[in-house]
Amino acid sequence: VRIAVAREEREPVAFLPFQRSASGVGRAIGLGVSDAQGLVHRPGFQWDARELLSACALSVWEFDHLVEGQKPFEVGAVRSYASPVIDVEQGYAAYLGQLRKQAGKFTRTTLAKERKLGRDVGEVRYVHDERDPAVLATLIGWKSAQYRRTGRSDRFAHAWIAHLVEQLFHTRTPSFAGLLSVLYAGGRPVAAHFGLRSERVLACWFPAYDPAFAKFSPGLVLHLRMAEGAAAQGMAYLDLGRGEKEYKDSLKTRELTVSEGWVTRRHPVALAHRARRAPVRALRNTVLSRPELFDPADRLLKRMGRFRSVD
């Protein structure tokens, strides 16, 4: 991991965090778990993408969650995606009112399930900032099981990701912290989420719930409580992250846009990397964008996941 620093009159004005291979292939830092990528810079700063890559000794820089407004990098984008957002700047009541208008049945059903959870299981309690590391371990266990159950790669099987989450959980500053939010029922955790918060944004990252309580939709209840908690802390919005999920469509108020692709210099390594990666990326995107291909692939992954869970 490296960080490039651009200076004007000896003062730092921009930073580019990246990972670099020995051959000069660069990737956005934490590719696979980082949901906002690009150059961090002062307003109005301009840069040349190829000059920046040359200064970093990179022949190519690959991204999959490039944020909006990175024009020198956007020329290399091959596809853009929606990143749903929950706006809470006007308060939770305003958000819930908007949700009732755009998804009335969803809102009524979710709130009714929360009440039923309280009647059938016990008192429902929400902790916006849980500091018990044992609950974080519970969430990681749920998430790993979900990955295996659905046939996806278990991100927590990678030691660096597990270590990163633990380190972020213990990171607390006024402008940045790892945030563990937990929904309890009858004194036990039934859903939890770990994400990152700045002063104004809660970046949603790892949500999961106990499958034993699936009929109560505890994950949806948790997200409503998270929106309420974020609003109470004066945050502007929750970024649900790229990915087409039904629950995100139901909860969102608007969308941001992130892009994937790469910027390159004229270099043999860049040509080779693009030739190797482009077909894989194109095939994946085709499957994801076409229901007639995605649905059978998803069923196959889940079938494989059931076998893995048994093992």
Side-chain angles (χ1 to χ4, degrees):
V1 172
R2 302 184 181 191
I3 301 177
V5 183
R7 291 182 171 86
E8 290 180 348
E9 298 180 354
R10 299 186 179 181
E11 291 295 322
V13 294
F15 306 86
L16 179 68
F18 64 95
Q19 294 176 232
R20 181 184 182 278
S21 72
S23 61
V25 172
R27 310 178 78 192
I29 191 168
L31 197 70
V33 294
S34 58
D35 293 341
Q37 302 160 359
L39 191 76
V40 182
H41 60 85
R42 66 158 176 76
F45 178 73
Q46 302 294 320
W47 73 96
D48 180 277
R50 288 184 174 176
E51 286 183 5
L52 181 58
L53 262 59
S54 178
C56 296
L58 296 175
S59 58
V60 58
W61 183 68
E62 184 176 0
F63 52 84
D64 64 359
H65 283 76
L66 183 71
V67 298
E68 295 176 279
Q70 302 265 317
K71 295 191 181 301
F73 290 153
E74 287 174 355
V75 295
V78 296
R79 193 180 179 98
S80 296
Y81 299 88
S83 188
V85 163
I86 295 176
D87 287 297
V88 293
E89 191 166 21
Q90 302 304 314
Y92 179 67
Y95 164 65
L96 195 61
Q98 182 175 349
L99 197 63
R100 291 183 190 277
K101 291 180 181 178
Q102 69 186 36
K105 182 179 179 181
F106 166 82
T107 308
R108 291 192 300 273
T109 300
T110 302
L111 294 176
K113 286 185 176 181
E114 179 179 359
R115 293 191 294 270
K116 183 172 175 55
L117 176 64
R119 291 194 301 270
D120 293 359
V121 180
E123 179 189 5
V124 176
R125 181 171 61 93
Y126 172 71
V127 178
H128 190 65
D129 187 5
E130 175 62 79
R131 302 310 304 155
D132 186 352
V135 184
L136 178 64
T138 297
L139 167 61
I140 291 174
W142 287 342
K143 198 65 181 178
S144 291
Q146 179 190 346
Y147 284 136
R148 295 192 301 270
R149 189 169 61 248
T150 57
R152 271 66 176 182
S153 173
D154 181 4
R155 292 180 177 177
F156 289 104
H158 301 281
W160 74 268
I161 294 180
H163 176 70
L164 175 65
V165 168
E166 181 179 356
Q167 186 177 27
L168 291 171
F169 174 71
H170 293 288
T171 300
R172 304 182 67 76
T173 72
S175 61
F176 176 81
L179 186 69
L180 175 64
S181 301
V182 185
L183 184 73
Y184 293 88
R188 61 180 292 182
V190 295
H193 167 269
F194 182 77
L196 306 176
R197 68 127 183 96
S198 67
E199 293 173 314
R200 299 286 285 161
V201 178
L202 172 56
C204 299
W205 210 6
F206 294 112
Y209 60 86
D210 186 339
F213 298 92
K215 68 179 182 179
F216 300 104
S217 299
L220 295 177
V221 175
L222 172 69
H223 276 80
L224 289 182
R225 290 294 193 102
M226 285 165 54
E228 184 177 21
Q233 292 190 338
M235 292 189 177
Y237 64 88
L238 292 75
D239 186 347
L240 297 175
R242 165 186 159 181
E244 295 184 6
K245 300 286 186 181
E246 186 176 352
Y247 80 91
K248 295 182 182 182
D249 286 338
S250 298
L251 291 165
K252 71 181 181 183
T253 54
R254 61 184 174 94
E255 296 174 343
L256 302 175
T257 300
V258 295
S259 303
E260 69 175 25
W262 40 67
V263 287
T264 64
R265 294 165 54 207
R266 293 186 179 88
H267 194 282
V269 171
L271 293 174
H273 180 77
R274 186 161 185 164
R276 184 176 70 255
R277 292 283 292 158
V280 175
R281 190 183 291 274
L283 177 60
R284 187 199 66 200
N285 290 337
T286 298
V287 172
L288 290 175
S289 63
R290 297 176 60 179
E292 69 271 22
L293 297 177
F294 174 79
D295 292 344
D298 188 53
R299 287 195 296 271
L300 177 60
L301 283 173
K302 289 178 179 177
R303 192 176 304 121
M304 294 172 62
R306 287 195 292 272
F307 289 127
R308 290 168 60 188
S309 297
V310 171
D311 292 340

